[in-house]
Amino acid sequence: MRPPHSGAWWLWALGLAVAASRTTNPVLLAVILAVAGFVAVHCRSNAPWSSAYGMFLKFGLLVIAIRLVFSIVVGGITGPTVLFTLPEVLLPDWAKGIRLGGDVTAEGLVHALYQGLQLATLLCCIGAANALADPRRLLKSVPAALYEVSAAVVVALTVAPQLAVSARAVRRARALRGDAARGRNAIRTLLVPVLEDALDRSLHLAAAMDSRGYGRTAGLPKRTRVTTAVLVLGGLIGLCVGAYGLLDAEAPAFVGVPVLIVGVVLAVAGLVLGSRRLARTRYRPDRWTVPSVLIAASGAAAGAAAVLAEAFGELALIPSTVPLTAPEVPVVPVIGVLVALLPVLLARREALS
Amino acid sequence: MVVRRGHCSHAGTVIFRLLLTGFLASAALVVGAPTATAAACESTGVTVVVDFGSLGGGVQTRCAPGDPNSGLAALAQAGFGYTFPTRQPGFVCRIDNRPGPDIDACVNTPPATAYWSYWHADRGGSWNYSSFGAANRDPASGTVEGWSYGAGKAPGVAPPAKPAPIPPVVPPQPVPVSTTAPPVVPPRPTTPVPTTVAPGSSALSSSVALPTTELSATASASPVPTSSVPESITPPLSQPEPTAAQKESGGGPTTLIVVGVVVVVLAGVAAVTARRRARDE
């Protein structure tokens, strides 16, 4: 049986990430973390990058710690419940908006904790995708015409899994030499070789892409090249500006939807033009089989449940921190996120058959 | 510590009586230690002016006694409850539970067209839009703080001027609306007729500099729907009222326990599996 489409795992993880981005409720975030971790552990292959989830989990803990430290030192959100008071550094009048030290309140800490937990959960969703999806197979499915940006896309998409692979290889190599450093010492001795190795791997991959025709410029008339580059880059810029215009309430109306549409049209035109000059065959391409579609749909269900609950005025998604209240359980989004456990059932059925 | 206020219909009679006797009276009764009064401050304290604008309720002027250390503290000590949006605490999305959940759910930062803008001024001066957040600004005692609902428009009344420095005179008759007559101040000579600010006319009067006396401030504060007036000054923060959606879907403790068990089981099984797989490899 063929493994699911790599894109399906990314869509599944992005659905969970959408759910996480709509809430700071620690209960819902914990459910998302648990579901993503459970699926990542059960459905991963034995590929070297499949330990990525653990790496992202540790990174998430670091994010929470940094967020808490900043909330203690710089403050921001304050409430009536003062836990302890740090010596306050008096800033000049023009910097009065910033507070250094001073009262540390329970409300501020809980707010920072919720926000840090949200960011950590988003990271772990991406970590689950990295652990589950084969980055090279995913690249095979990328349209051949992401021509001008392909090298950047390759490096960006593979750097996390490559880091996981490199960390493992370097640690094993050091262990074989009798240096089983852990903790802070390990970071000092591992950091440079791991980063160097990961970068090397990404560059190798980019070179391999180049040798297969991605970003190839030889033998093409200059006019075609420039046209494609302008179309693709213009389209991407249009997408960015349009998305910003949509999200910014103050932006003039013509910056939103129209620019977005122009960006999409330009990008599609560029992709079509680019792919026309590149003939590429695929060996055993990934297919959107029924399990793949179900995996993607279960992730989408999790995201949709959270977005719909928010649209229908579910207040439990964002629990109040000033004043402090015990978070309630947003039932519909929790059920939606539990639907994202479906890949485990699919994998089990496959193992039995 | 309870602030009692005259009923709306009584306000007119009170004004006429006081006009006849030539005295101004504050309808607010203060019991015990210094606490919020429903009028501009005398000499010390921070005067807080809240303009409810399109929400109805007119302009309310109250006094936060002493020297509150932030704009929010002044607001609370003047007896106004406020609510933060849950996603962005620090902004103020409701004062005295207004606007209600039908206008603003109080989750995100309110839009720039309908929010509580924060102003400050000297007594009898002009309004300045605050460049600091209400939590970060320490208002000096004897100044005025303004809150105005809308698209960032200054409060509809001018900052109340300082009362004339004349020692208080005890009125001959107790005023009917208040159980005990508080110290009252005679009108300044420049103000022949005290003007009252009707709640509905606050938007119209925004450009008119009203003769701001103790009485006008009092009268503007008194016609308030009793439901929104806090009986007690103590709670500084008001809870957002639960909506139907929240009541429906917010699970009780049982749901929380069930979800907690699910999370623990999932995380536990995942950890065990991860360990087993790491050993096998």
Side-chain angles (χ1 to χ4, degrees):
Chain A
M1 185 68 193
R2 195 176 287 180
H5 196 288
S6 297
W9 284 122
W10 271 97
L11 287 179
W12 171 86
L14 288 179
L16 281 180
V18 165
S21 74
R22 298 331 303 157
T23 181
T24 54
N25 189 318
V27 180
L28 182 56
L29 289 175
V31 174
I32 296 173
L33 273 178
V35 166
F38 190 77
V39 175
V41 163
H42 271 261
C43 299
R44 72 188 171 100
S45 58
N46 285 328
W49 53 79
S50 52
S51 60
Y53 189 78
M55 198 174 76
F56 275 82
L57 201 61
K58 284 175 197 157
F59 190 42
L61 288 178
L62 184 70
V63 164
I64 294 177
I66 290 174
R67 185 73 185 76
L68 282 177
V69 167
F70 266 90
S71 111
I72 289 171
V73 175
V74 184
I77 311 298
T78 51
T81 324
V82 178
L83 294 179
F84 55 92
T85 306
L86 289 177
E88 185 167 353
V89 181
L90 285 176
L91 293 173
D93 216 32
W94 49 265
K96 262 283 167 55
I98 307 167
R99 187 177 61 78
L100 278 184
D103 291 345
V104 176
T105 62
E107 287 84 357
L109 278 186
V110 170
H111 184 77
L113 182 69
Y114 285 0
Q115 287 204 322
L117 187 62
Q118 184 187 27
L119 195 51
T121 310
L122 284 170
L123 281 171
C124 284
C125 291
I126 303 303
N130 273 306
L132 292 164
D134 183 335
R136 291 175 196 166
R137 292 199 76 86
L138 182 66
L139 279 175
K140 275 173 75 173
S141 319
V142 166
L146 272 182
Y147 209 79
E148 311 296 335
V149 287
S150 56
V153 171
V154 168
V155 174
L157 270 180
T158 55
V159 74
Q162 304 283 20
L163 267 176
V165 174
S166 300
R168 231 165 149 196
V170 173
R171 185 181 290 167
R172 178 166 289 177
R174 295 201 76 92
L176 287 174
R177 291 180 180 85
D179 174 17
R182 294 202 75 86
R184 216 170 42 172
N185 280 338
I187 293 175
R188 212 186 55 219
T189 52
L190 294 183
L191 192 64
V192 172
V194 166
L195 283 180
E196 194 186 343
D197 192 42
L199 200 60
D200 274 351
R201 281 168 196 264
S202 289
L203 287 176
H204 280 150
L205 198 54
M209 303 284 286
D210 188 44
S211 71
R212 282 163 181 78
Y214 281 92
R216 181 180 293 162
T217 50
L220 282 171
K222 195 178 173 195
R223 227 179 51 208
T224 328
R225 232 163 52 207
V226 171
T227 319
T228 323
V230 167
L231 282 176
V232 171
L233 287 180
L236 290 180
I237 291 172
L239 282 176
C240 291
V241 173
Y244 188 87
L246 263 189
L247 296 175
D248 180 15
E250 304 270 303
F254 68 88
V255 180
V257 180
V259 174
L260 200 66
I261 292 172
V262 169
V264 170
V265 169
L266 282 182
V268 168
L271 290 184
V272 169
L273 200 68
S275 59
R276 200 179 289 161
R277 68 194 160 153
L278 182 71
R280 204 162 57 103
T281 55
R282 283 182 189 154
Y283 173 63
R284 286 174 62 192
D286 274 346
R287 291 198 194 287
W288 281 94
T289 51
V290 175
S292 303
V293 173
L294 284 178
I295 287 171
S298 69
V307 170
L308 284 179
E310 190 191 34
F312 281 100
E314 170 67 275
L315 292 179
L317 281 174
I318 314 280
S320 164
T321 50
V322 189
L324 271 181
T325 50
E328 290 182 46
V329 179
V331 179
V332 176
V334 165
I335 293 172
V337 170
L338 288 178
V339 169
L341 280 173
L342 187 71
V344 177
L345 295 182
L346 293 175
R348 190 147 295 173
R349 237 191 63 199
E350 221 163 74
L352 287 179
S353 62
Chain B
M1 305 227 271
V2 175
V3 175
R4 278 184 215 137
R5 224 169 259 112
H7 194 267
C8 308
S9 57
H10 286 178
T13 10
V14 174
I15 291 163
F16 279 111
R17 269 178 203 223
L18 293 175
L19 274 175
L20 284 174
T21 49
F23 289 112
L24 288 174
S26 165
L29 166 66
V30 179
V31 183
T35 178
T37 51
C41 295
E42 302 270 316
S43 54
T44 59
V46 174
T47 307
V48 179
V49 176
V50 176
D51 182 353
F52 286 91
S54 60
L55 299 171
V59 184
Q60 295 189 22
T61 304
R62 294 185 201 164
C63 177
D67 186 11
N69 60 6
S70 74
L72 288 178
L75 190 66
Q77 285 175 30
F80 293 103
Y82 58 85
T83 311
F84 288 153
T86 47
R87 208 190 279 269
Q88 273 302 337
F91 289 90
V92 169
C93 62
R94 281 182 194 142
I95 293 181
D96 274 356
N97 279 328
R98 279 184 291 168
D102 50 325
I103 299 177
D104 192 339
C106 250
V107 174
N108 292 310
T109 310
T113 51
Y115 72 105
W116 282 105
S117 55
Y118 174 54
W119 303 76
H120 57 86
D122 290 324
R123 294 297 293 261
S126 56
W127 291 115
N128 295 307
Y129 191 86
S130 174
S131 50
F132 297 120
N136 286 77
R137 197 176 167 276
D138 185 359
S141 180
T143 60
V144 189
E145 298 265 290
W147 292 86
S148 170
Y149 187 77
K153 185 174 66 72
V157 293
K162 269 202 183 101
I166 294 170
V169 184
V170 181
Q173 292 275 324
V175 185
V177 283
S178 53
T179 49
T180 319
V184 289
V185 184
R188 290 180 301 157
T190 52
T191 315
V193 180
T195 315
T196 59
V197 183
S201 69
S202 63
L204 294 172
S205 64
S206 62
S207 57
V208 184
L210 293 165
T212 46
T213 62
E214 289 290 310
L215 176 61
S216 71
T218 307
S220 71
S222 49
V224 170
T226 42
S227 61
S228 74
V229 176
E231 278 296 308
S232 160
I233 305 297
T234 34
L237 294 165
S238 57
Q239 294 274 358
E241 281 164 20
T243 62
Q246 193 183 19
K247 279 177 199 152
E248 252 169 45
S249 64
T254 330
T255 333
L256 190 65
I257 291 167
V258 170
V259 173
V261 168
V262 168
V263 168
V264 169
V265 167
L266 281 179
V269 174
V272 168
T273 317
R275 185 149 296 184
R276 207 182 55 222
R277 290 189 66 153
R279 211 178 39 226
D280 290 349
E281 278 163 19

